[in-house]
Amino acid sequence: EIVMTQSPATLSVSPGEEATLSCRASQSIRSNLAWYQQKPGQAPRLLIYAASTRATGIPARFSGSGSGTEFTLTVSSLQSEDFGVYFCQQYGNWPPWTFGQGTKVEIK
Amino acid sequence: QVQLVQSGAEVKKPGASVKVSCAASGYTFTGFYLHWVRQTPGQGLEWMGWINPNSGVTSYAQKFQGRVTMTRDSSISSAYMELRRLKSDDTAVYYCARDVTPSEVPAATGWFAPWGQGTLVTVSA
């Protein structure tokens, strides 16, 4: 089973600043990585797939990069609606599909 | 728009079973794989398995083998997840989520979008 490790656990950011979130896979998953955003009481929402492709309707301030075992999600100029928990998910080596433990982005 | 709507919250006693439903709309239900994922504060997001709504073929995570059954009723575009012999640590929010993989491919391979709104299952004596 591939273990996904996210860092940091919590990120405090001021509105308008940039947030950089990391995700590491325990073995290579090529570019088979997705990022999701989750707000309290809501289901996860797809942001990025194939490591760097934005899902339909996702603003350009969200960008993903990386391949192999190291991945990054960058949110430039954070807006109030961007605060929440972000998860990475690998779909390159299954079953099982596995998720990181999440990074909480909170208002500084 | 593509939407998955799940059944409401459940409270069950240890040893009981629960069956959660997931009704799809806005797309051809039999066209794409469906997964079930649960979320707990301690374990985070945990994949449980998938079903091919067209063929009914399923694949379950090893952890849930023997305790979970995933089924579908294509006539009403709905999928179901039944979990048996419930324990207190099965208390979680259960989600269905559509895979991007078409059902004619032999197995699910992709990412998930959209997700259902979630169903809270509480297991307590």
Side-chain angles (χ1 to χ4, degrees):
Chain A
E1 173 176 324
I2 294 182
V3 176
M4 306 300 293
T5 304
Q6 291 187 242
S7 61
T10 304
L11 192 57
S12 297
V13 185
S14 299
E17 290 187 341
E18 180 176 279
T20 301
L21 291 68
S22 295
C23 176
R24 173 177 294 177
S26 60
Q27 63 190 78
S28 177
I29 56 171
R30 300 175 300 280
S31 295
N32 295 310
L33 185 100
W35 288 95
Y36 300 87
Q37 177 196 63
Q38 186 177 35
K39 297 182 180 180
Q42 296 184 18
R45 177 178 72 137
L46 177 70
L47 299 175
I48 300 282
Y49 62 91
S52 61
T53 303
R54 278 189 304 277
T56 302
I58 301 303
R61 63 181 181 273
F62 291 90
S63 63
S65 63
S67 66
T69 61
E70 301 284 344
F71 301 89
T72 301
L73 175 70
T74 302
V75 188
S76 63
S77 188
L78 263 156
Q79 306 296 302
S80 58
E81 62 267 28
D82 299 335
F83 294 95
V85 181
Y86 291 78
F87 295 96
C88 61
Q89 175 208 28
Q90 69 82 20
Y91 55 91
N93 190 319
W94 38 259
W97 281 252
T98 50
F99 297 84
Q101 287 296 97
T103 291
K104 181 179 182 181
V105 177
E106 61 179 24
I107 300 173
K108 188 172 182 181
Chain B
Q1 74 282 22
V2 177
Q3 196 172 9
L4 299 174
V5 177
Q6 298 181 221
S7 49
E10 304 261 14
V11 179
K12 296 292 183 180
K13 294 194 182 300
S17 299
V18 68
K19 191 171 187 177
V20 180
S21 68
C22 171
S25 61
Y27 74 101
T28 302
F29 172 71
T30 53
F32 298 90
Y33 284 81
L34 263 180
H35 297 262
W36 290 90
V37 177
R38 74 179 187 181
Q39 186 171 32
T40 62
Q43 296 295 317
L45 290 163
E46 191 171 26
W47 178 77
M48 300 180 69
W50 56 249
I51 182 167
N52 181 324
N54 188 45
S55 64
V57 172
T58 55
S59 175
Y60 303 139
Q62 192 168 10
K63 175 176 180 175
F64 301 103
Q65 289 273 3
R67 257 199 336 135
V68 71
T69 301
M70 296 176 188
T71 57
R72 92 292 189 210
D73 184 341
S74 303
S75 68
I76 57 171
S77 299
S78 291
Y80 306 89
M81 186 283 300
E82 181 180 35
L83 190 61
R84 300 178 292 279
R85 302 190 299 277
L86 290 168
K87 302 168 283 188
S88 58
D89 59 6
D90 290 318
T91 294
V93 177
Y94 290 77
Y95 293 100
C96 59
R98 192 189 73 166
D99 195 298
V100 295
T101 308
S103 57
E104 53 264 28
V105 176
T109 62
W111 55 94
F112 304 169
W115 296 54
Q117 85 277 17
T119 297
L120 174 62
V121 175
T122 303
V123 183
S124 174

